Amino acid sequence: MENIIANILEIENNAKSRLAEAEKKRNRIIADAKAEQENMVAAKIREAEKRLGELDSEEKKKAEEKLAEIEKNKDDEIRRLDSVFDKERGKWEDDIFNAIISG
C-alpha cells in the first residue's frame, strides 16, 4: 500500500514538474513571439522612414528642378523684353513725344 501511495506521489510530482516546465516553455514562446513582433514593427518603421526620406529627397529635387526652370524662363522673358525695349525705344519715345505735342 505504501508503495502505491509513493508511486502516486511520484506521478503527481512528475506531473507538477512537467506542468511547471510547460508553463515556462509557454512563457518563453510568448516572450519570443512578442520580441519578434517588436522587431518586425521596428523594421517596418525603419523601412517606412527610409522610404519617406527617399520621397522627401525626390520631391526636393523635383522642386529645385522646377524652380530652376521657372528662373530660366523668367530670365529668358526679361532678356526678350529688354530686346523689345531696346528695339522699340526710339519709336516709343517719338510716339510719346508726338502725342504730347499734338495734344
Side-chain angles (χ1 to χ4, degrees):
M1 179 75 164
E2 277 184 33
N3 205 12
I4 294 173
I5 293 174
N7 283 341
I8 291 173
L9 290 175
E10 185 180 336
I11 292 170
E12 184 179 351
N13 285 337
N14 284 339
K16 285 181 181 180
S17 292
R18 286 183 176 179
L19 184 60
E21 189 60 37
E23 185 71 23
K24 287 179 185 178
K25 187 174 182 178
R26 180 181 78 90
N27 289 339
R28 274 195 312 269
I29 291 171
I30 289 171
D32 290 346
K34 285 182 180 179
E36 186 176 343
Q37 178 186 20
E38 289 173 4
N39 289 337
M40 289 171 63
V41 168
K44 287 297 180 183
I45 289 172
R46 284 190 304 274
E47 184 180 321
E49 287 173 345
K50 179 183 175 190
R51 182 65 182 136
L52 285 174
E54 291 169 355
L55 289 173
D56 185 50
S57 295
E58 289 173 13
E59 290 302 314
K60 282 181 181 177
K61 182 179 176 184
K62 286 179 186 178
E64 288 170 359
E65 289 171 356
K66 186 67 176 173
L67 184 59
E69 180 184 344
I70 290 169
E71 192 72 25
K72 180 188 177 301
N73 290 341
K74 178 197 73 150
D75 291 343
D76 290 347
E77 185 64 13
I78 288 172
R79 278 192 295 277
R80 187 189 70 78
L81 290 172
D82 282 343
S83 174
V84 169
F85 178 76
D86 290 342
K87 181 180 175 185
E88 300 293 331
R89 180 178 181 179
K91 179 184 175 292
W92 292 341
E93 287 173 349
D94 289 343
D95 289 347
I96 292 170
F97 179 78
N98 291 331
I100 291 171
I101 295 292
S102 58

